[in-house]
Amino acid sequence: MKFADEPLAYHPKVRSMEDYETLYRQSLEEPEVFWSERARALSWFYPPHSTMDVDPESTDVAWYSGGRLNACFNAVDRHAAHRPNKIALVWAKNEPGAYERISFRKLKHEVCRLANVLKSFGVRKGDRVCLYMPMIPELVYAMLACARIGAVHSVVFAGFSAESLRERILDAGCEVVLTANEALRGAKRIPLKHIVDDAVEGLSLVHTVLVARRTDVQVPMHAGRDHFLDEVMDKHRSTCPVEWMAAEDPLFILYTSGSTGKPKGVLHTTGGYLVYAALTHAVVFDLRPDDVHFCTADLGWITGHSYVVYGPLVNGTTTVLLETLPNYPDASRIWEIVDDVKATQLYTAPTALRSLMAAGDAYLETSSRDTLRVLASAGEPINPEAWRWYHDQVGKGRAAVVDTFWQTETGGVLVTPLPFVTPAKPGSATKPFFGVELAVLDDQGHILDKDGVSGNLCVKRSWPGQARTLYGDHRRFRETYYARFPGLYFTGDGCLRDEDGDIWVTGRVDDVLNVSGHRLGTAEVESALSEHDAIAEAAVVGIPHAIKGTGIFAYVVLRPGVSYRSEIELQGALKEQVRHAIGPIATPDGFRIVSALPKTRSGKIMRRILRKIACGETENLGDTTTLADPTLMDELLEKPVEGAA
Ligand code: WT7
């Protein structure tokens, strides 16, 4: 078998805009050549015999057909063979100053033990396994153990409620769930096992729950179903054969919010995803062999999958797993970790930067941050003020800032500057990555060819990292991404392409909110509110929020005859309801009780109006003549909105 034991040697070096343009042109003009070269950064059991195969009718996409490989082998074994003592994982624990370093050799042994455990509980190739865990090494072991034996992991962010977890377990048909007795997040303890117990209560589907022990707290164990992970891992060997997967075999499912209905199980496959994650990781972060890559994302999100686990480990890079919060116990923590682990890249979200910035520059004084070369941002538009602070204060003007635009569905970065190469523009994600052919369309579906235009951001052709389907619902996949502008992948975002051809992503144009870099459907929050006894109907809109980027504002219509003691008390109950149904991230920031919602005659809620009113705008509300009940406007405009942040 051919080993690509030095993956970095196979990634292109981009040192100038000229290099970027040459390679970008090649990636579009000779995609076969470009993408088959890129596949050489992976170790294949059988090399692929083609690059891309797309059926546009069904939007069925296949990359690297004929190839066989294993994600865990690429992320772990090949490095364990060539540089066993290199640190794979630096675990920055919740307790200040506490770290644990795990070598590639140790990583391999732990992953194998856990893979053997999964097999002993009946997990086979193609089975889905749910991971509802804190940011602890066992979560990384579990993802890689699934990959090793060909099982499909579905990581559910450990801030989601029992109800959300149950929905995701059921949708993916997971028979095995991994969790921990509890999670430590800053000063809080989150009773994960307890939440899992609620989520799987009465579900015969789930026959096994494996519980990592993060703390000493005692939790009830359900005989026959629950086992402590350390105990069962002790019983198994530290070697386990890898399952050679077809390039298009599923690697993982990750749930994300859509504009309507239940969460979408975004499915990524093996070959294309890994090529794209590793390539973008190497190029976007200007990767060098001894780098320490520090991405603060939770593994419950795609950024954690691609740029904490798969990208870095496939490239043989030391990666940091952050258990704590960036500002625990105070806002100097994240910078102290940078110094302690000697991080060369930092990858975080604008919302975190804004809150650290608000804490004041004094918190930067306990660290030097001199090891940092690349400062990256993702998840939401970065405001120029936060960009400048990141560049001038955090990086002392010496590190390059890259604003990376992408999505759960894209697998890896789509639009980004390249560090020390692309001229910086605070607030712009600038240029498409290799192989990504962008198009900006107006609402009528015309492609806007010129520069200096605004419209809907689409991608014209497939790229290896793209999602292949929504688990169990390919029709929804087609309708969500390929129907609005037939034949093109629609991101759901609006953008401006400026006179230099640089992209400025302006935010979602559908009913999806981006709250602190997390995606939430307005429909999800509305249905959570409507589950409350007092609520007849609810409408949710996004409002500007200084730290979160977007805050949630809810208009609620009460059921006839409902009485409440005070509005504050009712709001408290509604917040609790949303936390219970979705999780704390979806808690509304403001409420207003109204007698009815503004709707068109066909019954569609006019969110445009509600959004403006929630933002305090009372003029330029646009056309209100299509309202079914125009008199409602008087009520809506009556009093200024309270509680808006
Ligand atoms: C949505 C995707 C970045 C992966 C993690 C989030 C918004 C993401 C940017 C950016 C402006 C951005 C978009 C996108 N978004 N990055 N650099 N500039 N907006 O993945 O949860 O799937 O969210 O986040 O609205 O559609 P996600």
Side-chain angles (χ1 to χ4, degrees):
M1 179 176 57
K2 207 187 139 315
F3 266 107
D5 56 354
E6 285 296 348
L8 261 53
Y10 295 90
H11 295 308
K13 303 275 174 293
V14 188
R15 300 212 165 84
S16 63
M17 262 329 249
E18 218 178 355
D19 288 352
Y20 163 77
E21 274 152 17
T22 308
L23 271 166
Y24 182 69
R25 210 171 312 120
Q26 189 205 29
S27 73
L28 296 193
E29 288 169 6
E30 300 174 282
E32 293 282 325
V33 177
F34 182 85
W35 287 117
S36 57
E37 273 297 303
R38 303 289 74 85
R40 295 177 60 198
L42 300 184
S43 297
W44 297 82
F45 186 68
Y46 292 136
H49 51 61
S50 75
T51 55
M52 183 185 69
D53 180 10
V54 174
D55 172 3
E57 298 285 293
S58 59
T59 59
D60 195 4
V61 172
W63 281 83
Y64 300 116
S65 296
R68 278 195 179 265
L69 77 168
N70 182 281
C72 180
F73 183 87
N74 275 278
V76 182
D77 296 54
R78 60 178 180 162
H79 311 302
H82 291 274
R83 43 191 95 70
N85 297 321
K86 180 170 180 177
I87 299 304
L89 208 59
V90 181
W91 182 32
K93 300 170 76 165
N94 194 53
E95 300 86 346
Y99 298 93
E100 216 171 285
R101 292 181 166 77
I102 295 139
S103 66
F104 275 102
R105 186 205 329 259
K106 169 147 188 204
L107 180 61
K108 183 178 153 197
H109 292 157
E110 298 297 320
V111 167
C112 285
R113 261 187 243 284
L114 185 33
N116 286 325
V117 168
L118 293 176
K119 286 209 271 190
S120 76
F121 286 104
V123 178
R124 298 287 175 263
K125 178 176 170 176
D127 291 351
R128 281 79 51 218
V129 176
C130 180
L131 310 179
Y132 185 73
M133 299 177 78
M135 289 286 283
I136 57 176
E138 286 86 343
L139 173 51
V140 179
Y141 304 158
M143 290 169 73
L144 294 166
C146 287
R148 189 171 193 88
I149 64 174
V152 181
H153 56 73
S154 167
V155 182
V156 176
F157 173 59
F160 277 116
S161 67
E163 241 176 72
S164 300
L165 174 61
R166 184 185 182 92
E167 195 180 11
R168 286 158 175 75
I169 290 171
L170 282 169
D171 187 78
C174 299
E175 297 180 20
V176 174
V177 178
L178 273 74
T179 190
N181 52 353
E182 61 179 350
L184 301 178
R185 198 174 292 140
K188 285 201 190 121
R189 290 163 174 262
I190 298 132
L192 296 191
K193 171 63 165 64
H194 180 79
I195 298 170
V196 169
D197 286 342
D198 283 352
V200 306
E201 197 191 305
L203 278 191
S204 55
L205 172 70
V206 176
H207 57 68
T208 303
V209 175
L210 303 175
V211 185
R213 279 193 263 222
R214 175 60 184 93
T215 66
D216 293 333
V217 78
Q218 299 288 321
V219 289
M221 298 290 278
H222 197 293
R225 187 195 72 185
D226 302 348
H227 306 268
F228 284 115
L229 191 58
D230 53 350
E231 285 174 10
V232 283
M233 278 174 75
D234 274 348
K235 294 194 185 125
H236 286 276
R237 295 196 58 185
S238 56
T239 60
C240 169
V242 302
E243 191 76 45
W244 296 111
M245 308 296 283
E248 280 300 324
D249 280 336
L251 178 59
F252 64 85
I253 298 169
L254 189 57
Y255 285 87
T256 188
S257 295
S259 53
T260 53
K262 56 175 193 162
K264 304 182 285 198
V266 173
L267 185 121
H268 283 283
T269 58
T270 310
Y273 171 78
L274 290 181
V275 167
Y276 201 72
L279 173 68
T280 49
H281 176 249
V283 175
V284 175
F285 297 96
D286 177 37
L287 191 66
R288 298 177 198 171
D290 296 323
D291 279 352
V292 175
H293 184 80
F294 182 14
C295 168
T296 65
D298 193 283
L299 299 192
W301 314 112
I302 190 70
T303 314
H305 282 60
S306 298
Y307 302 114
V308 177
V309 177
Y310 288 112
L313 293 180
V314 166
N315 285 328
T317 306
T318 301
T319 185
V320 180
L321 183 72
L322 178 70
E323 180 179 37
T324 192
L325 300 169
N327 57 0
Y328 173 76
D330 65 41
S332 64
R333 180 70 186 283
I334 196 79
W335 316 123
E336 287 167 4
I337 295 176
V338 165
D339 278 10
D340 288 349
V341 305
K342 300 187 169 59
T344 43
Q345 287 90 0
L346 179 68
Y347 196 13
T348 193
T351 186
L353 293 173
R354 285 191 297 265
S355 78
L356 293 165
M357 183 170 68
D361 290 357
Y363 290 103
L364 290 169
E365 280 163 21
T366 56
S367 59
S368 82
R369 306 170 308 284
D370 285 341
T371 49
L372 289 172
R373 244 176 29 245
V374 180
L375 301 170
S377 155
E380 41 170 336
I382 179 165
N383 45 311
E385 199 195 351
W387 194 104
R388 291 213 176 80
W389 185 74
Y390 206 17
H391 183 267
D392 299 347
Q393 306 303 321
V394 175
K396 304 185 210 171
R398 290 197 290 255
V401 170
V402 292
D403 171 8
T404 63
F405 166 80
W406 59 296
Q407 311 177 296
T408 306
E409 295 86 343
T410 69
V413 171
L414 270 195
V415 186
T416 183
L418 300 183
F420 306 110
V421 169
T422 314
K425 270 189 197 178
S428 170
T430 70
K431 305 282 186 210
F433 191 73
F434 302 135
V436 175
E437 191 181 10
L438 299 175
V440 180
L441 282 85
D442 67 16
D443 288 345
Q444 286 68 47
H446 305 114
I447 293 191
L448 306 172
D449 276 325
K450 299 206 178 61
D451 287 332
V453 293
S454 294
N456 299 288
L457 182 59
C458 295
V459 189
K460 274 186 173 170
R461 61 167 93 185
S462 178
W463 67 99
Q466 81 162 114
R468 301 301 192 258
T469 195
L470 296 178
Y471 186 72
D473 199 350
H474 194 67
R475 175 201 283 269
R476 190 174 177 206
F477 177 77
R478 215 162 45 227
E479 284 167 4
T480 309
Y481 306 107
Y482 288 92
R484 177 71 179 83
F485 303 107
L488 304 185
Y489 170 85
F490 178 35
T491 59
D493 284 291
C495 76
L496 160 75
R497 189 171 53 216
D498 71 14
E499 297 295 342
D500 304 326
D502 287 327
I503 300 287
W504 300 70
V505 178
T506 47
R508 305 289 307 192
V509 296
D510 53 7
D511 292 328
V512 170
L513 305 178
N514 193 323
V515 180
S516 303
H518 301 316
R519 248 161 89 174
L520 286 168
T522 48
E524 267 176 282
V525 184
E526 286 163 4
S527 89
L529 287 166
S530 307
E531 279 169 31
H532 193 278
D533 288 342
I535 301 302
E537 218 182 352
V540 159
V541 294
I543 50 170
H545 187 288
I547 302 292
K548 298 179 181 182
T550 304
I552 300 177
F553 193 90
Y555 290 86
V556 292
V557 179
L558 303 184
R559 280 187 198 285
V562 165
S563 62
Y564 52 92
R565 271 195 296 187
S566 73
E567 201 161 323
I568 292 293
E569 196 180 279
L570 179 69
Q571 289 186 11
L574 293 176
K575 284 186 180 176
E576 188 44 45
Q577 165 68 27
V578 174
R579 285 193 197 111
H580 174 78
I582 305 174
I585 53 174
T587 313
D589 299 282
F591 286 95
R592 179 159 170 194
I593 300 168
V594 288
S595 64
L597 297 173
K599 291 186 183 167
T600 61
R601 276 178 219 110
S602 58
K604 204 171 176 301
I605 298 173
M606 294 180 77
R607 276 175 223 282
R608 175 175 50 84
I609 293 176
L610 292 175
R611 200 176 303 121
K612 288 197 169 171
I613 294 175
C615 296
E617 264 182 69
T618 51
E619 279 155 44
N620 303 323
L621 293 177
D623 186 11
T624 54
T625 54
T626 52
L627 271 180
D629 173 13
T631 60
L632 187 61
M633 285 311 294
D634 294 337
E635 178 196 329
L636 290 175
L637 290 171
E638 201 168 85
K639 56 168 186 179
V641 172
E642 281 160 33

